Every structure is written in structure tokens, then in C-alpha cells.
Amino acid sequence: GVDKVTVEKAFKSFAWPLQIQIDVCDSERSLDTQKQKFMDKLEQEKADFEKDMMRYEEDLEWLKGLNDYSVGKKHETKIDALKDNLDQAKVRVQSFMDREKLFNTQVSDYAELDEMMESFEPYYKLWTSAIGFKHSEEEWLNGSLSRLNAQEIDQVVEDQYKESYKMFKQFEGNNHPQGVAKDLRDDIGSFRKNMPVIHAICQEAFQPMHYIMLFDELDTDMDMEDQLTLQQLLDMGILQHIEVVERISAEAQKQHGLKTTLAAMKKEWKPMQFGTMAYKNTGTYVVKGVDEVQTLLDDHIVKTQSIRGSPFVKPIEKEVKDWEAKLLYIQDLLEQWLECQRSWLYLEPIFSSDDIQRQLPNEAKRFTSVNTHWRQTMEAVCESPNVLDVSEMEGLLGNFVLANQKLELIQKGLNDYLETKRAAFPRFYFLSNDELLMIISQTKDPTAVQPHMGKCFEGINRVRFNESNEIIEAM
């Protein structure tokens, strides 16, 4: 049979439809109550909005009647507040309309707000332009000259000058705002007269030294400790001396151009490096690919000498001379270095021979000295190949000059030695220095003469040695 609990649940279920109906009715009553509360709240907000709109209308009428350009800054907060209120009113209206749709009630018409905003916009633009220009003018006149940017000021002044004319035409027939637009245009026009001074002075090239030159020429004392302002210059009558200002400015720009060119050259040298490569099995290195360094060197020496010859070089004359000396040093260094390398490459295999070292002890000693310097220098260059860093190595040019002097003595000693060999055996005149050295450097190997027999003796191609390679048996 069915247990007691199940039977009780079954009987209770017969009452569920009625209970559900009761619950639905309660919910509907609750919803109606909540809806009414929201509707009442909405109506209250709309009533408050209407009051606010009346106040906004009054403020707008006040703004339309404002006709004194000079009081703009005084009323800036009130004008901005009206703008914020109208923007916020747009948000409030959207909220009202969304809730009216939600409650299926008639959506209210708020065209009045759109009309008010449309009416407000040209007046707001006029007064924000007027107030903005007054703020800018204050900053330009009384702010530090060093912080003013001539290009930015020129852009703002020209844009606002054109805009003020458009607004003047827009308000034609409406005396109050048109009068404000005219005053704004006149004010901008008055300030435009200062632009030649601003263009001449408000630039990176115009340095304190140029202010000193300017005040000296105008025979004026000006405290350079405080930040100079445009108003101070105008008060001293700078507009009457615009030719002097522009001449000094032109000089400053040319000096700045030289300084910029010099800085650009120094920047180009920062990444430049000497290329090196291991040379055969010598355990040392040689310089390679110096064409890029040489090309840049030739170009920059010409540029630097051109700067040094400029009549505007005086402020950086010492720096230019020091840089020219640096470039000329690198040029001399490279010339001596490559000359040393050529001689070293030729003599290194020669003096690697024990026979040559025994036969030319003085020259061998000199070469050992040069060879030691070469290896030490190339080791240091490999570790730090930057051209400017290498040029700072102490005594490097002097060491290469000394090395080349020694190499020249070695070469002379070697040539004299070869001449004595040729004098002793004239047939050696038929051989080049390299061929003769190849024979001399292998005195323990008589067969070393074999490749050169044809040059020394006509009709003899080669000879045959005995088993001990000491006696020629046949030709």
C-alpha cells in the first residue's frame, strides 16, 4: 500500500492551484505599488527638470545679452556651468524617455531642450574663444620667453583670427555678440603685431648670449637673473627695434645651424668601428674594410673646416677646433697604421725565418720590437674597436710613426743585404727580392734554388742533386 507521508502530500497538492493564484495576485499588487512609486519619482524628477529648464533659459538669455568682451574671464565659471547643465539635461531627458517607454506611458516631447542647445552653441563658442584667447595672451605676455613656442603661438593666433571673422559674420544683425566678436578680432589683431618679435626670439637658437647682445646694442639694462617675458620687452619698446632683433636672431640661427651640424657629425662617429680579422697562423690580427671610415673622415674634415671658416663660428670655435684636431689625428693615425700594416705583412714571413734572423740580427731585433707593438695594439683594438675609443689610446700615433721609421730601416737593411748577395753572385740580379729571399731564408736546403734555375742560368731548367742533396750531379 501507499505510505502515510505520500498520501498527505497528495492531498496537499490539490490546494496548489488556489495558492498559486493567490501568490500571483499578491505579486501583481506589489508590482503595481512599485510601479506607482517609480512613476511618482519620475514625475517629481520631470517637475524638477522643468524648474531647471526655466533657470537654464534665464542663463541663456543673460549670455545672449552679454556684450562686454573684457568681462569674459570673470563669467567663465558661469558659462561653463551652463554648458555642463545642458549636457547633463540631455542625459536626464534620455533617462525620462527610457522609463516612459518601460512603463508604456506617452513619451514626452523635449524638443525645447534641443532648441535651447542649438541656440546656446554659437554663444558658447564665441565666449570660449574670447576667454581662451585672454588666457593665452596672459601666458604669452607674462610667461617665461624660454617656454614659448613660436610655431604653436602662430598657429593659435592665425586660427583664432580667422575664426573670429567667421563669428563676426555669423552674428550679423545681432549687435551684442557681434560686438564681442569684433573686440576679439581686434584684440587678436593687436597681438599679431608682436609675432615678428616672437618668431625672432622664441626659438631654440636664441640663447642668453643673444639677449646680452640685444640689450647691449639697445643700450638697455635688463635683469637676466629673472625669467624674461614678452611684456618686459614690449615695455622697453622692442617693436621699434625689430630690425636689430631680427638681425641678431638670424645670426643666432646660423650659429645654431653650425652647432647642430657639429653635433650630427659627432653622433655619426659614435657607432663607427675598425674591422679586424685574424691573419693566417700568426696569432694576431690585421685591419680590414677601412673604406667606410676613410670616406666619413674625408667628408667630415671638409665639413668641419667649412664650419671653422664660417663668420658665425665664434661661440663654438674651441669645440670646432678640437673636433677638427680629432679628425686630423684619426686621419694621420689611419695613414700611419695602414703603412705599418703593409710593411708588417711583407716582413713578418721573412723574419719568421731563423736563417734571416741569424743573417740580419740588427734588423731582426728591430722587427721584434715592431712586432710586439703590433700584436699588443691589435689585441687592444679587437677588444674595443670603436674608432673614437681607439683614437683615445695614449701615444698610438707616435708609436706607429716610430714603428714605420724602424720598418724603413729594416727594409733598407734588407735591401742592402740582398745587394751584397747579388754582388757576390751576379746571377742573383735575375731574381726579384722575394725570390732571392726565398733562397736565402732556406740556406739549409740547397734544393730551394731549384724553382729559380731557369731565371739564373739560360738553358738550364733544373738540376739533379745527389742523395744527400749537397752535390749537383746533372743538369
Side-chain angles (χ1 to χ4, degrees):
V2 180
D3 63 81
K4 185 179 179 181
V5 174
T6 303
V7 172
E8 285 178 0
K9 287 183 177 179
F11 274 107
K12 285 181 179 178
S13 69
F14 291 126
W16 286 356
L18 179 59
Q19 186 62 49
I20 290 171
Q21 194 173 357
I22 293 168
D23 290 345
V24 168
C25 288
D26 289 344
S27 296
E28 286 177 345
R29 280 194 298 271
S30 176
L31 282 172
D32 288 340
T33 303
Q34 292 297 325
K35 179 179 178 182
Q36 190 58 47
K37 285 182 180 178
F38 282 121
M39 289 294 289
D40 292 344
K41 184 173 185 293
L42 175 58
E43 290 304 318
Q44 182 59 52
E45 288 182 20
K46 288 165 69 175
D48 293 340
F49 178 74
E50 290 302 324
K51 292 177 185 176
D52 289 340
M53 283 293 287
M54 291 174 63
R55 184 160 50 84
Y56 302 158
E57 185 67 45
E58 291 174 3
D59 288 346
L60 178 55
E61 289 304 314
W62 163 82
L63 183 61
K64 288 180 177 180
L66 206 56
N67 62 355
D68 187 353
Y69 166 71
S70 65
V71 301
K73 285 170 67 177
K74 176 184 173 184
H75 297 303
E76 180 178 5
T77 303
K78 187 173 180 179
I79 295 170
D80 285 340
L82 180 55
K83 167 69 172 169
D84 293 339
N85 287 333
L86 290 176
D87 287 342
Q88 190 58 39
K90 196 75 176 170
V91 176
R92 291 165 73 184
V93 163
Q94 188 61 51
S95 173
F96 298 158
M97 294 170 69
D98 290 343
R99 284 182 280 173
E100 286 171 342
K101 289 176 185 176
L102 181 64
F103 296 139
N104 292 319
T105 60
Q106 185 177 355
V107 177
S108 303
D109 181 9
Y110 293 102
E112 180 189 359
L113 175 61
D114 292 332
E115 292 171 5
M116 189 183 297
M117 293 189 76
E118 187 178 346
S119 178
F120 168 73
E121 197 55 43
Y123 288 91
Y124 180 70
K125 184 177 180 182
L126 170 64
W127 282 103
T128 50
S129 294
I131 295 167
F133 181 75
K134 292 306 287 184
H135 281 304
S136 297
E137 187 180 35
E138 172 70 22
E139 182 184 340
W140 298 334
L141 288 172
N142 299 308
S144 171
L145 277 170
S146 61
R147 290 199 296 269
L148 300 186
N149 184 301
Q151 283 69 36
E152 289 177 7
I153 295 173
D154 192 54
Q155 185 71 49
V156 172
V157 168
E158 290 308 309
D159 288 349
Q160 290 210 325
Y161 192 69
K162 292 173 187 173
E163 198 60 40
S164 67
Y165 180 72
K166 290 179 185 176
M167 289 187 287
F168 178 80
K169 299 297 288 182
Q170 182 182 10
F171 285 111
E172 200 160 3
N174 197 339
N175 292 339
H176 290 173
Q178 191 177 40
V180 173
K182 182 181 182 301
D183 290 343
L184 171 60
R185 184 170 172 80
D186 291 344
D187 199 18
I188 297 172
S190 295
F191 187 84
R192 286 175 89 199
K193 296 173 184 175
N194 304 325
M195 289 311 299
V197 176
I198 292 172
H199 278 300
I201 289 178
C202 299
Q203 54 178 292
E204 187 182 354
F206 212 92
Q207 297 294 309
M209 60 174 287
H210 300 111
Y211 284 111
I212 294 170
M213 287 171 60
L214 175 62
F215 299 145
D216 283 348
E217 282 213 35
L218 300 183
D219 196 21
T220 302
D221 288 329
M222 186 68 74
D223 187 1
M224 295 288 290
E225 292 300 316
D226 296 326
Q227 294 286 345
L228 278 172
T229 66
L230 178 59
Q231 189 62 61
Q232 286 176 296
L233 296 183
L234 294 174
D235 290 343
M236 60 176 270
I238 198 73
L239 291 173
Q240 280 72 54
H241 306 283
I242 191 63
E243 298 84 2
V244 177
V245 177
E246 289 179 338
R247 174 168 50 77
I248 293 175
S249 176
E251 189 174 325
Q253 289 179 60
K254 285 171 180 166
Q255 289 169 350
H256 183 69
L258 298 180
K259 192 174 181 180
T260 302
T261 302
L262 182 61
M265 282 195 286
K266 289 184 176 183
K267 187 177 180 181
E268 272 193 80
W269 277 99
K270 283 185 179 178
M272 291 299 291
Q273 295 186 340
F274 285 116
T276 58
M277 60 179 284
Y279 182 65
K280 296 183 178 179
N281 297 318
T282 60
T284 187
Y285 307 88
V286 291
V287 182
K288 66 165 187 175
V290 296
D291 289 350
E292 187 179 357
V293 175
Q294 189 65 63
T295 301
L296 190 63
L297 200 56
D298 294 342
D299 180 41
H300 283 192
I301 287 174
V302 172
K303 279 184 180 177
T304 305
Q305 289 174 342
S306 173
I307 292 173
R308 190 165 60 83
S310 168
F312 305 102
V313 75
K314 192 171 182 180
I316 56 169
E317 189 169 18
K318 184 181 184 306
E319 187 181 357
V320 172
K321 285 182 177 178
D322 289 346
W323 180 245
E324 183 186 22
K326 166 76 77 177
L327 294 178
L328 293 174
Y329 177 87
I330 295 173
Q331 185 181 52
D332 291 343
L333 174 63
L334 197 56
E335 183 182 337
Q336 294 292 329
W337 194 343
L338 293 177
E339 184 182 337
C340 183
Q341 178 165 289
R342 285 190 292 270
S343 299
W344 181 87
L345 288 172
Y346 175 68
L347 294 172
E348 193 279 333
I350 295 173
F351 283 93
S352 295
S353 164
D354 292 339
D355 287 338
I356 293 293
Q357 289 180 28
R358 279 195 304 273
Q359 295 171 62
L360 297 167
N362 290 335
E363 283 73 12
K365 185 177 179 182
R366 287 194 183 105
F367 185 79
T368 299
S369 170
V370 172
N371 191 42
T372 301
H373 165 254
W374 178 265
R375 290 171 183 272
Q376 290 173 347
T377 300
M378 293 310 300
E379 189 70 35
V381 171
C382 274
E383 289 178 8
S384 179
N386 182 272
V387 175
L388 294 179
D389 290 345
V390 171
S391 72
E392 294 296 326
M393 290 184 185
E394 190 174 352
L396 191 58
L397 175 59
N399 289 338
F400 273 123
V401 170
L402 184 61
N404 284 327
Q405 290 172 352
K406 289 181 180 179
L407 289 169
E408 192 177 342
L409 289 174
I410 293 168
Q411 190 73 53
K412 184 177 182 304
L414 183 61
N415 290 337
D416 290 347
Y417 176 70
L418 294 179
E419 281 303 306
T420 61
K421 293 297 181 182
R422 287 184 173 113
F425 186 63
R427 291 278 175 177
F428 281 156
Y429 280 111
F430 294 115
L431 300 180
S432 68
N433 285 357
D434 290 346
E435 290 169 333
L436 182 53
L437 283 167
M438 194 178 296
I439 295 172
I440 295 171
S441 63
Q442 302 176 79
T443 54
K444 293 181 180 178
D445 180 15
T447 62
V449 302
Q450 198 76 275
H452 313 291
M453 291 301 293
K455 281 191 174 182
C456 289
F457 299 98
E458 187 178 355
I460 299 177
N461 186 37
R462 55 187 293 110
V463 296
R464 189 173 70 220
F465 288 88
N466 64 1
E467 290 182 5
S468 62
N469 285 336
E470 293 177 352
I471 300 173
I472 295 175
E473 293 182 333
M475 296 182 186

